[in-house]
């Protein structure tokens, strides 16, 4: 059996995880949101360089209420009810500006719920 090839990932500052599981949003809203991120990241300068954000679909976060749900790492910031307009705010205020969009955060790592 041959040795696996070690993967490579380009540098990034944050990793955005989007739940696209069927219990999060049955109408495909989460997948559409995920699909829109490439253009949003490019427009905000988050597709390359020191602010680059990596994005990944997740099958289930086991937090199946208030979707679409996404998580920004390594910040440990969890968002709920993310519409296209809320995503624009997350991109501009959190991913570019460094300030979470507090009214859409349902969990922040290191803080009591």
């Amino acid at each position: 059996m041959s040795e696996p090839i070690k993967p490579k990932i380009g540098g990034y500052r944050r990793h955005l995880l989007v739940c696209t599981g069927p219990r999060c949003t049955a109408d495909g809203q989460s997948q559409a949101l995920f699909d829109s991120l490439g253009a949003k990241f490019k427009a905000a300068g988050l597709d390359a360089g020191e602010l680059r954000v990596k994005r990944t679909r997740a099958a289930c976060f086991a937090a199946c209420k208030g979707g679409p749900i996404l998580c920004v790492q390594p910040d440990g910031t969890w968002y709920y009810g993310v519409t296209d307009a809320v995503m624009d705010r997350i991109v501009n205020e959190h991913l570019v500006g460094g300030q979470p969009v507090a009214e859409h955060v349902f969990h922040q790592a290191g803080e009591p719920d």
Side-chain angles (χ1 to χ4, degrees):
M1 185 171 183
S2 64
E3 288 293 315
I5 298 170
K6 184 177 181 178
K8 294 180 184 179
I9 295 176
Y12 60 92
R13 182 173 197 163
R14 290 187 174 97
H15 191 172
L16 186 68
L17 304 162
V18 180
C19 182
T20 57
R23 293 188 333 176
C24 195
T25 56
D27 62 0
Q29 186 180 3
S30 292
Q31 181 63 51
L33 190 67
F34 181 85
D35 293 342
S36 75
L37 292 176
K40 289 181 187 298
F41 286 0
K42 187 170 185 172
L46 298 173
D47 61 324
E50 66 179 45
L51 289 179
R52 180 173 174 251
V53 176
K54 181 172 174 46
R55 61 190 166 123
T56 301
R57 281 181 295 258
C60 184
F61 287 144
C64 300
K65 292 181 181 156
I69 292 174
L70 60 90
C71 181
V72 178
Q73 293 294 355
D75 304 14
T77 305
W78 291 76
Y79 289 101
Y80 72 102
V82 181
T83 63
D84 193 55
V86 172
M87 189 70 239
D88 288 342
R89 289 190 61 201
I90 292 168
V91 167
N92 293 319
E93 296 173 33
H94 188 162
L95 302 179
V96 174
Q99 292 296 318
V101 182
E103 62 266 31
H104 295 283
V105 172
F106 73 93
H107 180 78
Q108 179 63 58
E111 294 181 3
D113 288 332

Coordinates of all heavy atoms in Angstrom, one line a residue, residues 29-88:
Q29 N -31.4 27.1 1.4 CA -30.9 28.4 1.7 C -29.4 28.4 2.1 O -28.6 29.3 1.7 CB -31.7 29.1 2.7 CG -31.4 30.6 3.0 CD -32.3 31.2 4.1 OE1 -33.2 30.5 4.7 NE2 -32.1 32.4 4.3
S30 N -29.0 27.5 2.9 CA -27.6 27.4 3.4 C -26.7 27.1 2.3 O -25.6 27.7 2.2 CB -27.5 26.3 4.5 OG -28.1 26.6 5.6
Q31 N -27.0 26.2 1.4 CA -26.2 25.9 0.2 C -26.1 27.2 -0.7 O -25.0 27.5 -1.2 CB -26.7 24.8 -0.6 CG -25.8 24.4 -1.8 CD -24.4 24.0 -1.4 OE1 -24.3 23.1 -0.5 NE2 -23.4 24.5 -2.0
A32 N -27.2 27.9 -0.9 CA -27.1 29.1 -1.7 C -26.2 30.2 -1.1 O -25.5 30.8 -1.7 CB -28.5 29.7 -1.9
L33 N -26.3 30.3 0.3 CA -25.4 31.2 1.0 C -24.0 30.8 0.8 O -23.1 31.6 0.5 CB -25.8 31.2 2.5 CG -25.2 32.2 3.4 CD1 -25.7 33.6 3.0 CD2 -25.5 31.9 4.8
F34 N -23.7 29.5 0.9 CA -22.3 29.0 0.7 C -21.8 29.3 -0.7 O -20.7 29.8 -0.9 CB -22.2 27.5 1.0 CG -20.8 27.0 0.8 CD1 -19.9 27.1 1.9 CD2 -20.4 26.4 -0.4 CE1 -18.6 26.6 1.7 CE2 -19.1 26.0 -0.5 CZ -18.2 26.0 0.5
D35 N -22.7 29.1 -1.7 CA -22.3 29.3 -3.1 C -22.0 30.8 -3.3 O -21.3 31.1 -4.3 CB -23.4 28.8 -4.0 CG -23.6 27.3 -4.0 OD1 -22.7 26.6 -3.5 OD2 -24.6 26.8 -4.4
S36 N -22.6 31.7 -2.6 CA -22.4 33.1 -2.8 C -21.1 33.7 -2.2 O -20.7 34.8 -2.5 CB -23.6 33.9 -2.2 OG -23.5 34.0 -0.7
L37 N -20.5 32.9 -1.4 CA -19.3 33.3 -0.7 C -18.1 33.7 -1.5 O -17.3 34.6 -1.2 CB -18.9 32.3 0.4 CG -19.9 32.2 1.6 CD1 -19.4 31.1 2.5 CD2 -20.1 33.5 2.3
G38 N -17.9 32.9 -2.6 CA -16.7 33.2 -3.5 C -16.7 34.6 -4.0 O -15.7 35.3 -3.9
A39 N -17.9 35.1 -4.5 CA -18.0 36.4 -5.0 C -17.9 37.5 -3.9 O -17.2 38.5 -4.0 CB -19.3 36.6 -5.8
K40 N -18.5 37.2 -2.7 CA -18.5 38.1 -1.6 C -17.1 38.3 -1.1 O -16.6 39.4 -0.8 CB -19.4 37.6 -0.5 CG -20.9 37.7 -0.8 CD -21.7 37.3 0.4 CE -23.2 37.2 0.1 NZ -23.8 38.5 -0.3
F41 N -16.3 37.1 -1.0 CA -15.0 37.2 -0.5 C -14.1 38.0 -1.4 O -13.2 38.8 -1.0 CB -14.4 35.8 -0.2 CG -14.9 35.1 1.0 CD1 -15.9 35.7 1.8 CD2 -14.5 33.8 1.3 CE1 -16.4 35.0 2.9 CE2 -15.0 33.1 2.4 CZ -15.9 33.7 3.2
K42 N -14.2 37.7 -2.7 CA -13.4 38.4 -3.7 C -13.7 39.9 -3.7 O -12.7 40.7 -3.7 CB -13.7 37.8 -5.1 CG -12.8 38.4 -6.2 CD -12.9 37.6 -7.5 CE -11.9 38.2 -8.4 NZ -11.8 37.4 -9.7
A43 N -14.9 40.3 -3.6 CA -15.3 41.7 -3.6 C -14.7 42.4 -2.3 O -14.4 43.6 -2.4 CB -16.8 41.9 -3.6
A44 N -14.6 41.7 -1.2 CA -14.1 42.3 0.0 C -12.6 42.1 0.2 O -12.0 42.5 1.2 CB -14.8 41.6 1.2
G45 N -11.9 41.4 -0.8 CA -10.5 41.2 -0.6 C -10.1 40.1 0.3 O -9.0 40.0 0.8
L46 N -11.1 39.1 0.5 CA -10.8 38.0 1.4 C -10.5 36.7 0.7 O -10.4 35.7 1.3 CB -12.1 37.8 2.3 CG -12.5 38.9 3.2 CD1 -13.9 38.6 3.8 CD2 -11.5 39.2 4.2
D47 N -10.2 36.8 -0.6 CA -10.0 35.6 -1.4 C -8.5 35.3 -1.5 O -8.0 34.3 -2.0 CB -10.6 35.7 -2.8 CG -10.1 36.9 -3.6 OD1 -9.8 38.0 -3.0 OD2 -9.9 36.8 -4.8
A48 N -7.6 36.3 -1.0 CA -6.2 36.1 -1.1 C -5.5 37.0 -0.1 O -6.2 37.9 0.5 CB -5.7 36.5 -2.5
G49 N -4.2 36.8 0.1 CA -3.5 37.7 1.0 C -3.7 37.4 2.5 O -4.2 36.4 2.9
E50 N -3.3 38.4 3.3 CA -3.3 38.1 4.8 C -4.7 38.0 5.4 O -4.8 37.4 6.5 CB -2.5 39.2 5.5 CG -3.0 40.6 5.4 CD -2.2 41.6 6.2 OE1 -1.0 41.5 6.1 OE2 -2.8 42.4 6.9
L51 N -5.7 38.5 4.8 CA -7.1 38.4 5.3 C -7.8 37.2 4.7 O -9.0 37.1 5.0 CB -7.9 39.7 5.0 CG -7.5 40.9 5.8 CD1 -8.3 42.1 5.4 CD2 -7.5 40.7 7.3
R52 N -7.2 36.4 3.9 CA -7.9 35.3 3.2 C -8.7 34.5 4.2 O -8.3 34.2 5.3 CB -6.9 34.4 2.5 CG -7.6 33.2 1.8 CD -6.6 32.4 1.0 NE -7.3 31.3 0.4 CZ -7.1 30.0 0.8 NH1 -6.2 29.7 1.8 NH2 -7.8 29.0 0.3
V53 N -10.0 34.2 3.7 CA -10.9 33.3 4.5 C -11.1 32.0 3.7 O -11.4 32.1 2.5 CB -12.2 34.1 4.8 CG1 -13.2 33.1 5.5 CG2 -12.0 35.3 5.6
K54 N -10.9 30.9 4.4 CA -11.2 29.6 3.8 C -12.6 29.3 4.2 O -13.1 29.7 5.2 CB -10.3 28.6 4.4 CG -10.5 27.2 3.9 CD -9.4 26.3 4.4 CE -9.6 24.8 4.0 NZ -10.0 24.6 2.6
R55 N -13.4 28.7 3.3 CA -14.8 28.3 3.5 C -15.0 26.8 3.3 O -14.4 26.2 2.4 CB -15.7 29.1 2.6 CG -15.5 28.9 1.1 CD -16.2 29.8 0.3 NE -15.7 29.8 -1.1 CZ -16.4 29.5 -2.1 NH1 -17.7 29.3 -2.0 NH2 -15.9 29.4 -3.3
T56 N -15.8 26.3 4.2 CA -16.1 24.8 4.1 C -17.5 24.6 4.4 O -18.1 25.2 5.4 CB -15.2 24.1 5.1 OG1 -13.8 24.3 4.8 CG2 -15.5 22.6 5.1
R57 N -18.2 23.6 3.7 CA -19.5 23.2 4.0 C -19.4 22.1 5.1 O -18.5 21.3 5.1 CB -20.1 22.5 2.8 CG -20.7 23.4 1.8 CD -21.3 22.6 0.7 NE -20.3 21.9 0.0 CZ -19.8 22.2 -1.2 NH1 -20.3 23.3 -1.8 NH2 -18.9 21.5 -1.8
A58 N -20.3 22.1 6.0 CA -20.4 21.1 7.1 C -21.8 20.4 7.0 O -22.8 21.1 6.6 CB -20.2 21.7 8.5
A59 N -21.8 19.1 7.2 CA -23.1 18.4 7.1 C -24.0 18.7 8.2 O -25.2 18.7 8.0 CB -22.8 16.9 7.0
C60 N -23.5 18.9 9.5 CA -24.4 19.1 10.6 C -23.6 19.6 11.8 O -22.5 19.1 12.1 CB -25.1 17.8 11.0 SG -26.3 18.1 12.3
F61 N -24.1 20.7 12.4 CA -23.4 21.2 13.6 C -24.2 20.7 14.9 O -23.8 21.1 16.0 CB -23.4 22.7 13.6 CG -22.5 23.4 12.7 CD1 -22.8 24.6 12.0 CD2 -21.2 22.8 12.5 CE1 -21.9 25.2 11.2 CE2 -20.3 23.4 11.6 CZ -20.7 24.6 11.0
A62 N -25.3 20.0 14.7 CA -26.1 19.6 15.8 C -26.7 20.7 16.6 O -26.8 20.7 17.8 CB -25.3 18.6 16.8
A63 N -27.0 21.8 15.9 CA -27.6 23.0 16.5 C -28.7 23.4 15.5 O -28.6 24.4 14.8 CB -26.6 24.1 16.6
C64 N -29.7 22.5 15.4 CA -30.6 22.6 14.2 C -31.8 23.5 14.4 O -33.0 23.2 14.1 CB -31.2 21.1 14.0 SG -29.9 20.0 13.5
K65 N -31.6 24.7 14.9 CA -32.6 25.7 15.0 C -32.0 27.0 14.6 O -30.8 27.3 14.8 CB -33.1 25.8 16.5 CG -33.8 24.6 17.0 CD -34.3 24.8 18.4 CE -35.0 23.6 18.9 NZ -35.0 23.4 20.3
G66 N -32.9 27.8 13.9 CA -32.4 29.1 13.6 C -31.4 29.2 12.4 O -30.7 30.1 12.3
G67 N -31.4 28.2 11.5 CA -30.5 28.2 10.4 C -30.8 29.3 9.4 O -31.9 29.9 9.5
P68 N -30.0 29.5 8.5 CA -28.6 29.0 8.3 C -27.7 29.4 9.5 O -27.8 30.4 10.0 CB -28.1 29.6 7.0 CG -29.3 30.0 6.3 CD -30.3 30.4 7.3
I69 N -26.9 28.4 9.8 CA -25.9 28.6 10.9 C -24.5 28.5 10.3 O -24.2 27.7 9.4 CB -26.1 27.4 12.0 CG1 -27.4 27.6 12.7 CG2 -24.9 27.4 12.9 CD1 -27.8 26.5 13.6
L70 N -23.6 29.4 10.8 CA -22.2 29.3 10.4 C -21.3 29.6 11.6 O -21.8 30.2 12.6 CB -21.9 30.2 9.2 CG -22.2 31.7 9.3 CD1 -20.9 32.4 9.8 CD2 -22.5 32.2 7.9
C71 N -20.1 29.2 11.5 CA -19.1 29.4 12.5 C -17.8 30.0 11.9 O -17.4 29.5 10.9 CB -18.8 28.1 13.2 SG -17.6 28.2 14.6
V72 N -17.3 31.0 12.6 CA -16.1 31.6 12.2 C -15.0 31.2 13.1 O -15.1 31.3 14.4 CB -16.1 33.2 12.2 CG1 -14.8 33.8 11.9 CG2 -17.3 33.7 11.3
Q73 N -14.0 30.5 12.6 CA -12.8 30.0 13.4 C -11.6 30.8 12.9 O -11.5 31.2 11.8 CB -12.6 28.5 13.2 CG -13.7 27.7 13.7 CD -13.8 27.8 15.2 OE1 -13.0 28.4 15.9 NE2 -14.8 27.1 15.8
P74 N -10.6 31.0 13.7 CA -10.4 30.5 15.1 C -11.2 31.3 16.1 O -11.0 31.1 17.3 CB -8.9 30.6 15.3 CG -8.5 31.8 14.5 CD -9.4 31.8 13.3
D75 N -12.0 32.3 15.7 CA -12.7 33.2 16.6 C -13.7 32.5 17.5 O -14.0 33.0 18.6 CB -13.4 34.3 15.9 CG -12.5 35.1 14.9 OD1 -11.4 34.6 14.7 OD2 -12.9 36.1 14.5
G76 N -14.2 31.3 17.1 CA -15.2 30.6 17.9 C -16.5 31.4 17.9 O -17.3 31.3 18.9
T77 N -16.9 32.1 16.9 CA -18.1 32.9 16.8 C -19.1 32.1 16.0 O -18.9 31.8 14.8 CB -17.9 34.3 16.2 OG1 -16.8 34.9 16.9 CG2 -19.1 35.1 16.2
W78 N -20.3 31.9 16.6 CA -21.4 31.1 16.0 C -22.5 32.0 15.6 O -23.0 32.7 16.5 CB -21.9 30.0 16.9 CG -20.8 28.9 17.1 CD1 -19.7 29.0 17.8 CD2 -20.9 27.6 16.5 NE1 -19.0 27.8 17.8 CE2 -19.7 26.9 17.0 CE3 -21.8 27.0 15.6 CZ2 -19.4 25.6 16.6 CZ3 -21.5 25.7 15.3 CH2 -20.3 25.0 15.7
Y79 N -23.0 32.0 14.4 CA -24.1 32.9 13.9 C -25.3 32.0 13.6 O -25.1 30.9 13.1 CB -23.7 33.6 12.7 CG -22.7 34.7 12.9 CD1 -21.3 34.5 12.6 CD2 -23.1 36.0 13.4 CE1 -20.4 35.6 12.8 CE2 -22.1 37.0 13.6 CZ -20.8 36.8 13.3 OH -19.9 37.8 13.5
Y80 N -26.5 32.6 13.7 CA -27.7 31.9 13.3 C -28.6 32.9 12.5 O -28.3 34.1 12.5 CB -28.5 31.5 14.6 CG -29.2 32.6 15.4 CD1 -30.5 32.8 15.2 CD2 -28.4 33.4 16.2 CE1 -31.1 33.9 16.0 CE2 -29.0 34.4 16.9 CZ -30.3 34.6 16.8 OH -30.9 35.7 17.5
G81 N -29.5 32.3 11.8 CA -30.4 33.2 11.0 C -29.7 34.0 10.0 O -30.1 35.1 9.7
V82 N -28.7 33.4 9.3 CA -27.9 34.2 8.4 C -28.5 34.3 7.0 O -28.6 33.3 6.3 CB -26.5 33.6 8.3 CG1 -25.6 34.4 7.3 CG2 -25.8 33.5 9.7
T83 N -29.0 35.4 6.7 CA -29.6 35.7 5.4 C -28.5 36.3 4.5 O -27.3 36.5 5.0 CB -30.7 36.8 5.5 OG1 -30.1 38.0 6.0 CG2 -31.8 36.3 6.4
D84 N -28.8 36.6 3.3 CA -27.8 37.2 2.4 C -27.3 38.6 3.0 O -26.1 38.9 3.0 CB -28.4 37.4 1.0 CG -27.3 37.7 0.0 OD1 -26.3 36.9 -0.1 OD2 -27.5 38.7 -0.7
A85 N -28.3 39.3 3.5 CA -27.9 40.7 4.1 C -27.1 40.5 5.3 O -26.1 41.3 5.5 CB -29.2 41.4 4.3
V86 N -27.4 39.5 6.2 CA -26.6 39.3 7.4 C -25.2 38.9 7.0 O -24.2 39.3 7.6 CB -27.3 38.3 8.3 CG1 -26.4 37.9 9.5 CG2 -28.6 38.9 8.8
M87 N -25.1 38.0 5.9 CA -23.8 37.6 5.5 C -22.9 38.7 5.0 O -21.8 38.8 5.3 CB -24.0 36.5 4.4 CG -22.7 35.8 4.0 SD -22.1 34.7 5.3 CE -20.5 35.5 5.6
D88 N -23.6 39.7 4.3 CA -22.8 40.9 3.9 C -22.3 41.6 5.1 O -21.1 42.1 5.1 CB -23.7 41.8 3.1 CG -24.0 41.3 1.7 OD1 -23.3 40.4 1.2 OD2 -25.0 41.8 1.1

